[in-house]
Amino acid sequence: MKFFIWLWIFLPFSDLMEVKTNTPETTSMLGKDVLLDCHFINAGSVKLEDIAVKWTVDRRSQVKTIYLFDGKTEQYHKDRITLDLMLIKEGNASIHLQDVTLEDEGDYKCTILITPDVGSSTVLLKVAAQPSVALAPVNPHLSHGETKTFFCEASQFYPQDIEIIWLLKSHGEEVPLTTKICTGLPSLIDNGTFNVSSQISMIFTEEDAGSVYICEVNHESLPRPLRRNTTILFAIPEMIPRDTGFIVGVVSVILITLVVFLGVGIMYQKQFAKAPPLSDVILPDFVPANEAMNVICNINGFRPPHQHSVVPSKPKS
Ligand SMILES: *[C@@H]1O[C@H](CO)[C@@H](O)[C@H](O)[C@H]1NC(C)=O
Ligand SMILES: *[C@@H]1O[C@H](CO)[C@@H](O)[C@H](O)[C@H]1NC(C)=O
Ligand SMILES: *[C@@H]1O[C@H](CO)[C@@H](O)[C@H](O)[C@H]1NC(C)=O
Ligand SMILES: *[C@@H]1O[C@H](CO)[C@@H](O)[C@H](O)[C@H]1NC(C)=O
């Protein structure tokens, strides 16, 4: 059969062989398996030995043979590429590509040779990875007038094009938001996929209680947009505590602690700090009128971080 390959390379063939595909353009999810269809009509029921199949791939204008069957043996093929030889005689030369990677994207061409006829068909394979979407913080308890920023992160998607929009649902109505939004540019992460983050900042009041903020991500890998949401809640102080016993316990401990500290403080004052902590103000001997003067206060009982300098509003002369 080497002869076949020889002919393939050096002789012109008639283009009478009609080779078709059911998948001229196909998209596979990253890590999944894909069938690249290629079929032809084996009209004269040609024996398998007289049929040659070749698959090449054109990636960024670099053409590489990835599969070759010369009627007897299979060549080039890797573990990830399989072709069912039993089906060739029936006119099916489709290949299965397993565990698709981003590098597998390209134009795949299958060429069928049944001397003297040759024909080919092309399948464009695209690879996509679905984003994971996370919105944070989820259902935070806000206080009146609080500014809150919500982050929506779409990660590990491919290709790069993505759309993130924010919607507000209140009183059963959804409204797209256009202001106070900041969306970054997708950034490439190690394995060829992208991450992007969008954020929205708002000042919330009780009127917003119960409204829902929705982050919606649209990407070609998704059959429908992916959504995450967060509800605006307010931290309302509880008037009647449910667990009264616990509260009473906590309050008692605080009160006892306060009393003990106060007692110790008073005893300390009586025992050691006999002089008042502040001495009388020491005035300089001569003070020019309408000029700032330095007033020194001696402070006892603790070490000041630095000397205090006081500027009186109107010096006495
Ligand atoms: C070719 O065979 C594959 C199985 O390897 C099958 O999934 C596909 O549908 C077949 N194509 C045609 C056109 O019959
Ligand atoms: C991409 O997003 C994932 C999930 O949120 C995160 O773990 C990862 O650190 C991000 N990578 C980069 C480069 O931002
Ligand atoms: C891409 O990298 C992230 C971590 O950076 C990992 O979680 C994810 O599974 C990787 N995806 C693929 C398809 O390798
Ligand atoms: C918010 O998300 C939850 C869980 O994902 C979903 O059940 C709910 O319908 C969503 N709410 C809105 C208003 O989209």
Side-chain angles (χ1 to χ4, degrees), residues 233-290:
L233 303 170
F234 275 84
I236 298 156
E238 281 188 73
M239 299 325 268
I240 308 147
R242 258 178 275 147
D243 196 346
T244 318
F246 175 74
I247 304 286
V248 167
V250 169
V251 169
S252 309
V253 167
I254 292 170
L255 279 178
I256 291 166
T257 312
L258 270 176
V259 166
V260 167
F261 269 88
L262 270 173
V264 169
I266 289 164
M267 276 169 69
Y268 177 84
Q269 280 279 317
K270 285 199 169 156
Q271 289 277 109
F272 305 103
K274 287 183 181 121
L278 288 189
S279 73
D280 290 334
V281 169
I282 302 160
L283 293 172
D285 294 340
F286 170 75
V287 182
N290 294 324

Side-chain angles (χ1 to χ4, degrees), residues 46-52 69-72 85-86 88-89:
V46 178
K47 285 182 292 177
L48 183 61
E49 294 88 77
D50 297 329
I51 304 173
F69 174 70
D70 63 5
K72 246 191 210 149
L85 289 180
M86 306 298 283
I88 293 182
K89 238 169 75 81

Side-chain angles (χ1 to χ4, degrees), residues 18 71 76 85 90 123 134 156 163 171 210 224 262 267-268 276:
E18 205 182 343
Y76 290 103
L85 289 180
E90 294 164 25
V123 178
Q156 285 148 44
E163 184 189 46
H171 311 298
R224 70 189 72 85
L262 270 173
M267 276 169 69
Y268 177 84

Side-chain angles (χ1 to χ4, degrees), residues 22 35 37-39 82-84 87 91-96:
N22 289 330
L35 176 80
D37 184 76
C38 172
H39 59 268
T82 50
L83 188 151
D84 191 342
L87 294 174
N92 187 338
S94 307
I95 53 171
H96 272 284

Side-chain angles (χ1 to χ4, degrees), residues 30-31 100 102 129 156 189-193 195:
L30 198 59
V100 170
L102 294 177
Q156 285 148 44
I189 56 177
D190 303 346
N191 52 21
T193 61
N195 269 15

